């Protein structure tokens, strides 16, 4: 296949190579997909596992060869396509290794029978299925799998649409607060114009994300670069100052002067800071405190913490609150929102290679923490497959 990265995966036993049939596979995946644990496990299995075939694997990037999506009727990526032996078979989405393992025994059985020159058509007098029925059953299983993958992809797009809609609310709120401050004479025209212009830029960028939902994964729509995270945090605090200035609460920051630069997407990290700060201010009562801290946790990570003195979060909800559209019953009747902000934060932290978590007890407030990789000379990736160029794991 033209313009693909190809090569055999796994070296079969020379004595058995002549007895084995070639299994030609095509992996359609972006650079981001190739760095994911699922695809790495698949490549490792093909390289080290005994598949019963002489395996030949081609790897193609859908951003460079979009025609493959139509040619093989791919409804999601990454996708693994069995080209030979016929019939063609497609695995898409998650758990590719597991799906391949489940089908290998059936393919081996078919090839063993074919190699012996035996007919797959059983005697019909005993009521067994015909060869045509077996083929139709296989095709039905493939169609069911494609349908499940399509449903999964549509569900992912629906979740993404909700997230983008939620994130549009942040720049709109900041612009509205800037307008109110300008009308009250709290900021001058130059500051008002600057805030509004930057918020419009954010909304334009989010709109571009929305247009790309149908063609790529949300996680690839980011541009990591060298950043001073303290400045990003200062900008976020100024953007929502209307939520805390004039209230009877303290806004405390603890950002070391020698904090190293990080490698991250400025717009995405600002989203995380704005979401967490807005939540902290929303749930902190009068007389309370919101504190933002940053520390150089290890040589590889900067840890950010945003703590409040609000009602706290039950321990059994610590993991669930980062899922899509989850709002706590204790606060859902008194606060607004659709319950997707923390899910957005989780995805942004994950795509940076870090993680996010909460420490909280009922009645003692909540502390949200997330990690960002330290900048160690990483180079921003190309637009075709934006992903972190340096592997990262949970700290």
């Amino acid at each position: 296949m033209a313009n693909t990265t190809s090569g055999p995966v796994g070296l079969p036993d020379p004595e058995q190579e002549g007895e084995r049939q070639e299994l030609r596979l095509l992996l359609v995946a972006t650079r981001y997909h190739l760095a994911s644990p699922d695809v790495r496990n698949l490549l490792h299995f093909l390289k080290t596992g005994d598949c019963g075939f002489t395996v030949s694997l081609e790897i193609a990037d859908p951003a460079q060869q979009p025609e493959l999506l139509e040619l093989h009727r791919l409804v999601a990526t990454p996708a693994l396509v069995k080209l030979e032996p016929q019939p063609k078979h497609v695995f898409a989405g998650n758990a590719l290794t597991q799906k391949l393992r489940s089908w290998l025994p059936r393919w081996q059985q078919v090839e063993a029978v074919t190699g012996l020159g035996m007919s797959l058509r059983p005697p019909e007098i005993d009521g067994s299925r015909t060869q045509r029925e077996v083929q139709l059953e296989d095709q039905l299983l493939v169609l069911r799998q494609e349908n499940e993958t399509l449903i999964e992809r549509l569900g992912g797009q629906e979740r993404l649409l909700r997230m983008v809609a939620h994130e549009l609310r942040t720049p709109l709120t900041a612009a509205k607060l800037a307008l109110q401050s300008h009308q009250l004479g709290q900021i001058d025209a130059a500051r008002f114009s600057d805030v509004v212009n930057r918020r419009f830029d954010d909304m334009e960028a989010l709109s571009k994300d929305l247009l790309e939902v149908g063609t790529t994964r949300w996680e690839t729509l980011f541009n990591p670069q060298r950043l001073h995270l303290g400045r990003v945090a200062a900008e976020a605090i100024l953007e929502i100052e209307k939520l805390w200035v004039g209230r009877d609460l303290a806004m405390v920051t603890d950002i070391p002067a020698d904090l190293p630069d990080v490698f991250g997407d400025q717009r995405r990290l600002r989203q995380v800071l704005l979401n967490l700060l807005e939540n902290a201010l929303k749930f902190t009562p009068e007389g309370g405190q919101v504190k933002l801290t940053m520390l150089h946790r290890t040589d590889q990570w900067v840890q950010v913490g945003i703590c409040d003195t609000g009602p706290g979060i039950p321990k059994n909800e610590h993991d669930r609150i980062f899922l899509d559209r989850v709002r706590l019953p204790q606060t859902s009747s008194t606060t607004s929102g659709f319950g997707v902000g923390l899910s957005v934060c989780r995805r942004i932290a994950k795509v940076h290679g870090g993680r996010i978590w909460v420490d909280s007890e009922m009645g003692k407030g909540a502390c949200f923490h997330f990690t960002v990789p330290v900048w160690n000379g990483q180079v921003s990736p190309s637009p075709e497959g934006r992903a972190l160029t340096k592997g990262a794991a949970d700290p």
Side-chain angles (χ1 to χ4, degrees):
M1 183 169 295
N3 300 323
T4 60
T5 302
S6 63
V9 178
L11 297 177
D13 188 337
E15 297 181 357
Q16 299 181 359
E17 186 172 1
E19 303 174 2
R20 292 187 175 186
Q21 178 149 345
E22 181 183 20
L23 178 63
R24 286 186 57 223
L25 301 174
L26 169 66
L27 177 62
V28 182
T30 65
R31 289 174 55 189
Y32 172 80
H33 294 138
L34 294 176
S36 69
D38 186 45
V39 175
R40 288 203 306 267
N41 289 339
L42 173 67
L43 296 176
H44 178 74
F45 170 70
L46 291 175
K47 182 177 181 181
T48 62
D50 185 3
C51 301
F53 294 89
T54 299
V55 180
S56 175
L57 176 68
E58 296 174 283
I59 302 176
D61 189 338
Q64 299 177 358
Q65 296 178 265
E67 68 277 5
L68 293 177
L69 302 177
E70 179 65 24
L71 176 63
H72 297 292
R73 297 172 57 195
L74 302 181
V75 296
T77 56
L80 183 67
V81 184
K82 184 189 77 163
L83 300 175
E84 296 289 344
Q86 290 292 328
K88 183 174 69 175
H89 200 142
V90 178
F91 305 113
N94 301 319
L96 293 178
T97 305
Q98 180 180 351
K99 295 174 183 176
L100 177 62
R101 284 177 178 271
S102 67
W103 276 88
L104 277 172
R106 175 172 293 192
W107 294 343
Q108 292 167 356
Q109 183 180 22
V110 171
E111 291 309 312
V113 173
T114 304
L116 293 173
M118 298 172 60
S119 172
L120 291 178
R121 182 181 181 90
E124 298 191 24
I125 56 174
D126 62 359
S128 300
R129 295 171 298 168
T130 65
Q131 179 182 3
R132 179 58 178 165
E133 288 173 335
V134 173
Q135 292 175 345
L136 288 175
E137 182 183 81
D138 288 348
Q139 292 173 7
L140 178 60
L141 288 173
V142 172
L143 289 174
R144 285 176 177 171
Q145 182 188 65
E146 291 179 352
N147 182 60
E148 292 173 358
T149 302
L150 180 58
I151 292 174
E152 179 183 353
R153 186 185 185 193
L154 291 175
Q157 290 184 352
E158 180 184 354
R159 292 191 296 271
L160 178 55
L161 289 173
R162 290 199 304 266
M163 290 180 184
V164 173
H166 177 273
E167 292 311 308
L168 281 172
R169 187 169 60 91
T170 299
L172 285 172
T173 300
K176 182 179 179 180
L177 293 175
L179 176 60
Q180 293 174 351
S181 298
H182 179 57
Q183 291 173 337
L184 294 173
Q186 296 174 344
I187 60 174
D188 57 24
R191 172 71 189 283
F192 169 67
S193 177
D194 176 63
V195 172
V196 172
N197 284 332
R198 285 190 288 125
R199 297 295 69 77
F200 282 159
D201 289 341
D202 287 344
M203 286 185 279
E204 181 182 9
L206 284 168
S207 298
K208 291 180 180 178
D209 288 358
L210 183 59
L211 292 174
E212 296 186 55
V213 167
T215 58
T216 185
R217 290 177 60 91
W218 178 87
E219 288 87 347
T220 65
L221 303 176
F222 87 119
N223 182 28
Q225 55 188 301
R226 183 178 183 179
L227 292 178
H228 189 292
L229 196 55
R231 295 195 187 101
V232 179
E235 293 176 0
I237 292 174
L238 287 175
E239 287 184 24
I240 58 174
E241 63 180 348
K242 187 73 175 182
L243 298 178
W244 57 275
V245 171
R247 290 183 57 189
D248 182 21
L249 59 81
M251 171 67 74
V252 181
T253 59
D254 183 5
I255 302 176
D258 60 349
L259 188 75
D261 290 343
V262 300
F263 186 60
D265 186 310
Q266 179 173 348
R267 183 164 63 91
R268 300 295 186 188
L269 291 176
R270 189 171 72 240
Q271 281 181 264
V272 176
L273 289 166
L274 286 172
N275 268 322
L276 296 180
L277 285 169
E278 185 177 350
N279 282 343
L281 292 169
K282 182 189 302 182
F283 294 112
T284 299
E286 297 298 313
Q289 173 182 286
V290 173
K291 185 175 183 179
L292 185 151
T293 62
M294 294 186 184
L295 58 92
H296 189 190
R297 184 179 181 188
T298 68
D299 292 339
Q300 297 181 334
W301 302 96
V302 166
Q303 179 173 316
V304 181
I306 296 177
C307 300
D308 61 57
T309 54
I313 301 170
K315 288 187 177 181
N316 61 344
E317 300 284 359
H318 285 189
D319 294 329
R320 198 173 72 90
I321 59 174
F322 293 103
L323 302 178
D324 294 342
R325 303 197 69 168
V326 170
R327 300 185 62 207
L328 299 181
Q330 296 91 336
T331 58
S332 59
S333 61
T334 58
T335 58
S336 59
F338 294 97
V340 296
L342 291 178
S343 176
V344 172
C345 295
R346 177 181 60 84
R347 296 185 70 177
I348 293 175
K350 183 178 179 181
V351 80
H352 280 81
R355 64 189 184 103
I356 185 170
W357 70 98
V358 62
D359 293 324
S360 178
E361 293 183 22
M362 291 300 294
K364 297 184 178 181
C367 286
F368 286 86
H369 307 276
F370 67 94
T371 53
V372 186
V374 172
W375 183 78
N376 289 316
Q378 301 97 319
V379 179
S380 297
S382 62
E384 289 79 5
R386 289 177 176 170
L388 291 178
T389 57
K390 186 169 183 176
D394 286 349

